Amino acid sequence: MDLESVECVSSCDGMDEDEPSHLHHQFAKLHGAAALNGATPAPGISPTTSINELLECPVCTNSMYPPIHQCHNGHTLCSSCKTKVQNRCPTCRQELGDIRCLALEKVAESLELPCKHSSLGCPGIFPYFSKHLHESQCNFRPYNCPYAGSECSVTGDIPFLVNHLRDDHKVDMHTGCTFNHRYVKSNPREVENATWMLTVFHCFGQYFCLHFEAFQLGMAPVYMAFLRFMGDETDARSYCYSLEVGANGRKLIWEGIPRSIRDSHRKVRESHDGLIIQRNMALFFSGTDRKELKLRVTGRIWKEQQSSESGVCIPNLCS
């Protein structure tokens, strides 16, 4: 970040039916022979855990989906990894060939498993083949860190990320639904994609990330401010925000709905969903010398409330 100062005032293909016996030994070892016949597994053995182990690719450790491949000795791996191991089994180094593990595919087809985010509150049970799609969209999945200044790989729930932003990224935290920022940059003609600023606001019992940054839009340098909601998109739609910048009797105003942090910082920026200020206009707002960027961005956040009588939304300015 190269902003010198910031002030803030808070207000199916062919299948081979010949199955090697090694696969049946795998099932017998983990479940007992009764598991294949639908009987109750031996005491102390978890069918779900054991099947999950069988369906885990030994190369990438992800769950395997058809086509599931195997070598002549019965060792399995996923189709993605088959192309990476030069047609050699990673377990016994034998040639893989083109053998499908039909028994394991059929077992997987019959499974219903809890979402991997069940420990975070997801109550769903899903067929094995649709479980992966659900997990990629699950409302209980962890959030990515919204910090824009680096490719931070930290994930977690909202309280954890708030603490992470404050303690690890040293982000300014403010309470209130109005804000007044002053951005100063000594050489506004040097615009790099790394020019950014992030501030977190707490209001209505929620957290919002205010982004301000400079980047190249085509050949022209621009400045952009936008708000992201620390939560899911459905909850974000309950809020609105406005941003205003101006001087010398002119001003620009933006009003919109904050984007969820489920949408990446880059996705929001590339969609131009926020207040965009061209450099010439920014310099005009900065004063007469045009040698230093001095922008004051003000704004507010409010919650839309549904009127029980008229059915229209009325703003709740702050609480």
Side-chain angles (χ1 to χ4, degrees):
M1 180 179 70
D2 58 358
L3 294 171
E4 277 81 15
S5 66
V6 177
E7 296 177 0
C8 177
V9 180
S10 176
S11 50
C12 197
D13 50 25
M15 296 184 179
D16 189 345
E17 296 295 337
D18 295 329
E19 303 284 348
S21 60
H22 182 85
L23 176 66
H24 299 281
H25 292 314
Q26 287 182 331
F27 278 100
K29 179 180 179 181
L30 290 171
H31 305 281
L36 287 177
N37 298 323
T40 302
I45 298 178
S46 169
T48 301
T49 301
S50 300
I51 290 292
N52 277 338
E53 292 174 356
L54 278 177
L55 291 169
E56 182 180 281
C57 174
V59 178
C60 65
T61 70
N62 293 327
S63 297
M64 295 186 291
Y65 296 89
I68 299 175
H69 297 277
Q70 68 176 26
C71 72
H72 289 281
N73 290 326
H75 304 127
T76 57
L77 79 164
C78 71
S79 57
S80 297
C81 290
K82 183 176 184 289
T83 62
K84 302 175 184 178
V85 297
Q86 300 178 338
N87 204 37
R88 290 286 175 183
C89 173
T91 302
C92 65
R93 307 306 300 168
Q94 294 297 312
E95 185 176 352
L96 283 172
D98 196 22
I99 305 173
R100 290 274 293 275
C101 186
L102 297 182
L104 196 54
E105 291 181 9
K106 291 174 183 176
V107 169
E109 186 177 358
S110 68
L111 290 178
E112 289 190 346
L113 301 172
C115 172
K116 71 177 182 180
H117 305 306
S118 58
S119 62
L120 300 176
C122 181
I125 303 293
F126 302 92
Y128 179 80
F129 293 137
S130 63
K131 176 175 172 285
H132 180 71
L133 176 60
H134 160 79
E135 290 172 346
S136 68
Q137 304 170 349
C138 179
N139 288 337
F140 293 89
R141 71 190 188 278
Y143 295 90
N144 295 322
C145 173
Y147 191 71
S150 64
E151 296 297 328
C152 182
S153 60
V154 171
T155 63
D157 59 17
I158 299 303
F160 174 83
L161 288 181
V162 169
N163 293 331
H164 166 67
L165 288 172
R166 182 192 62 224
D167 299 337
D168 298 330
H169 294 301
K170 310 303 179 185
V171 170
D172 289 336
M173 301 282 173
H174 298 274
T175 300
C177 59
T178 62
F179 42 87
N180 185 342
H181 279 255
R182 183 172 179 265
Y183 299 98
V184 178
K185 189 173 187 295
S186 60
N187 190 351
R189 298 190 179 277
E190 294 181 1
V191 177
E192 299 177 356
N193 287 331
T195 305
W196 53 267
M197 187 64 199
L198 172 63
T199 308
V200 173
F201 290 88
H202 182 237
C203 58
F204 304 106
Q206 306 288 345
Y207 289 91
F208 300 83
C209 295
L210 176 63
H211 297 265
F212 180 86
E213 56 192 69
F215 59 96
Q216 295 287 144
L217 184 58
M219 297 298 294
V222 298
Y223 301 91
M224 183 176 179
F226 57 91
L227 196 73
R228 287 202 291 168
F229 174 75
M230 296 190 71
D232 283 317
E233 181 182 358
T234 52
D235 295 323
R237 295 187 188 129
S238 299
Y239 301 91
C240 292
Y241 75 101
S242 65
L243 298 171
E244 180 177 317
V245 61
N248 301 320
R250 279 86 169 172
K251 63 182 177 181
L252 294 176
I253 299 176
W254 166 268
E255 185 174 303
I257 297 172
R259 298 282 287 270
S260 166
I261 60 171
R262 293 289 190 200
D263 290 334
S264 69
H265 162 267
R266 181 179 296 274
K267 181 178 180 179
V268 179
R269 193 181 80 175
E270 292 179 349
S271 69
H272 305 160
D273 192 1
L275 176 65
I276 296 180
I277 313 163
Q278 302 293 334
R279 185 179 65 182
N280 287 339
M281 184 63 72
L283 292 175
F284 176 78
F285 289 151
S286 298
T288 56
D289 58 12
R290 302 171 67 89
K291 294 180 179 179
E292 186 177 45
L293 179 72
K294 296 179 180 178
L295 286 180
R296 185 174 295 278
V297 178
T298 62
R300 65 186 180 96
I301 306 167
W302 67 93
K303 185 175 183 178
E304 297 286 0
Q305 290 186 328
Q306 192 76 20
S307 172
S308 58
E309 297 179 359
S310 61
V312 298
C313 288
I314 57 175
N316 178 6
L317 296 183
C318 199
S319 64

